[in-house]
Amino acid sequence: MKAWKLLIAPLALLLVVCLQINALAGPQPVTAGFGSGQNPHVTVNEDVDVAGATNAVYVQAYAPAEVQDKSASAKINGNVTIVNTNPISGVYAEGRNGDATVEVTGNVNAKSNDTTIGIETWGHAYDDVGKAIVKVKGNVVAESMGYATGIDSYYGTVDVKGNVTAKNKSAGYSSCGISAYYDDSIKVGGDVTAESPSYTTGVDAWTDRITTINVAGGVFATGKDTAGLYLETVENVDNQNSELYVTVGKGVTATSPSTNEEDYNQSPSRAIMFCNQGDLLKADITGDVVAKSKLGNAVGIITAHNGELEGPFSTGTSQILVHGNVISDGAGVALDTLGENTNVDILVEEEIKAEKIGVFVRESEYAEPNANGQTKLTVWKIQKNKDGNVAETISGAAKDFEKEINYIIKVDQPSAGGTISIVGDNGAALRTEHGFAVANEGDKLIVKPNLDANTVIAAAYNGTQALAKDSDGNYFLTVPKGGGVDLHFEFKNIRNQDEPKVSPAKKADSEIGLEKGVSVNGQKLKIILQDPYKVLPEGVQLKVRYIEPGTARYNELLAQLDDTHKVENLMFFEIELYNAKGEKISGEIAGKVRLLMQIPDGWDKKDLEAVLVMSHADIEFEESVVTVDGVDYLAFWTNHFSPYGIIDTMSDADGKSPATGDQSFKRISLFSIVSIFLAFFAFVVFKRKEENDIA
């Protein structure tokens, strides 16, 4: 037998052993970098499914000095899955002297009995210049019997198109959806969910530089000690800006399911916690902010140090913007009004609904008076608690703070026909916060309509409660404790409505309204005011004064009348309204009333006009002639009281010269001018002809 044949059996046995070892080892992790046997750029066109390793995908950009391109990358065209009993991460990217990039077209799943991280980034590792970048088109899931984190980022850039989920099933261990430290940029296209029997955080962000986190979906955290968002900035020691920006597209919910009364202090639920000792902290939430706790130990929005008497206290500018409701089984908002240089600005566009108290205000002996800062809350409505309070301190109602709350004033504008303005008691426009008109508890608000001539307010409401009118006839209301002002109106178009029935014989009858008689050249004329829509206050008085021709007031009004009127007859009246206190009602009123002015004898009913006299800008009306008890009236709708003129205009059929006294002729007709010109022209022609004949 030849010698080589003796080697067949041992070689075959060795091959079998190698194959078995390889089978036991299973699929190997994907690595990219500059280590021994590594490629800096790797592409895998299949799923990566790893068991027993520390990472499924590991990319480290740490190149030798002589290498020009120091970047490293791995692209996985599939899913990434890793299972182990020891600490693991599904994807790990470390940028040192080059950028480390990982792209996954599928999902990332990591599961372990120990610390588990879905995506882990470390940019600028060891104070170097490289970035750590991870992009995942699917979902990221981290499940653990120990600590679980969906995204754990240090100086990283992470973009996940799907959801991020972190689940821990063991008591004593925490879970966190997103953990971001230092200088990060994180985007999630879906929801962020964290669940644990112990401490749980949806998003935990800490920075002394600039960090941006954008979650398109909602943030959900469920655990014994829970925070939906935990946001903190600290001062940058290198004099750089320290700023944190967080946006959430579909609300934040924190839930503590514990029912054990002994766990009360150990099982709080807080939807948003924040402490800003840097420059700027801003959270912008679309949707509701919800804090659930079966023990009632819940807060919707809270300063992170609230309850820690020694601080630290916020020193920078913090903005928490909620475009929805804040709902809590305990307190809605808990904050500090003391703390040097603190500037806290909280907006809740809808309602704060809290079982215990809407706003809890904490004052601490350890805090300096807030002389250089401001704590500001803007909200549409705050639900009152069983004691009738909307804000409290540890010792009772926080009445001073209640009066500082800015309540959003909602106004349902008409779809057409003008707008509605709300002004203060002094007539000034309301203050604005975040683009909303606001007022404080106890402020008087007045409705000022800016409607076209044919539209009137038929009724005004705050919610379902009808508004009253003040002595000037304006709809008004006083901002109640807790706010909730939501104004809407019923409008009527008066252009084609039926003529209201009147009965001048019944003076002061509700149908007729108000009537005044004035003497004009020996004839007594009646002026009637009708208020069918009840826009005027109770007890209103009508005063009418005829302005005699030739007086200074008559000449003043005549000079103000514009030159578009071809006047045959003219009268001026001062028509004024006074409230029940005898105070003059000036300017426009909140709605339209109807004036009926008796037509003088001898005036042409076909040529009548009514004008509100203003300096060279007369306001004209759609008039009609009505006959009541055999008397003719010129009728029109108005919302303003000032000098009025009634004009009998000259038509071509009148054919008479302008009258004197109370009759004024303001315009020389074009016909007269032409006639004079033709006569003068004929005279000149005649004289020339006569001179030629003599010559």
Side-chain angles (χ1 to χ4, degrees), residues 335-409:
L335 47 80
D336 299 272
T337 58
L338 295 179
E340 190 175 5
N341 299 319
T342 298
N343 281 284
V344 176
D345 184 3
I346 298 175
L347 166 70
V348 180
E349 283 192 23
E350 297 299 331
E351 186 174 0
I352 297 177
K353 306 175 185 179
E355 292 296 321
K356 292 185 177 180
I357 186 62
V359 182
F360 177 73
V361 181
R362 188 174 78 95
E363 300 174 351
S364 169
E365 59 181 320
Y366 294 91
E368 296 295 329
N370 189 5
N372 301 317
Q374 184 180 21
T375 299
K376 186 164 52 178
L377 173 62
T378 302
V379 58
W380 172 60
K381 183 179 181 180
I382 302 178
Q383 176 181 288
K384 290 183 282 190
N385 68 0
K386 58 182 178 58
D387 296 322
N389 298 324
V390 299
E392 291 181 347
T393 65
I394 193 68
S395 57
K399 295 187 180 297
D400 290 341
F401 187 80
E402 284 183 341
K403 294 186 180 299
E404 294 176 0
I405 297 171
N406 296 315
Y407 290 110
I408 295 171
I409 307 303

Side-chain angles (χ1 to χ4, degrees), residues 56-107:
V57 179
Y58 180 95
V59 176
Q60 183 188 57
Y62 186 41
E66 65 273 12
V67 176
Q68 185 174 0
D69 181 5
K70 294 179 171 57
S71 65
S73 67
K75 183 173 183 180
I76 312 301
N77 293 314
N79 300 312
V80 172
T81 304
I82 183 170
V83 178
N84 201 341
T85 57
N86 298 316
I88 59 170
S89 58
V91 171
Y92 178 86
E94 177 184 314
R96 293 190 65 174
N97 60 2
D99 294 347
T101 303
V102 178
E103 294 185 44
V104 179
T105 62
N107 303 315

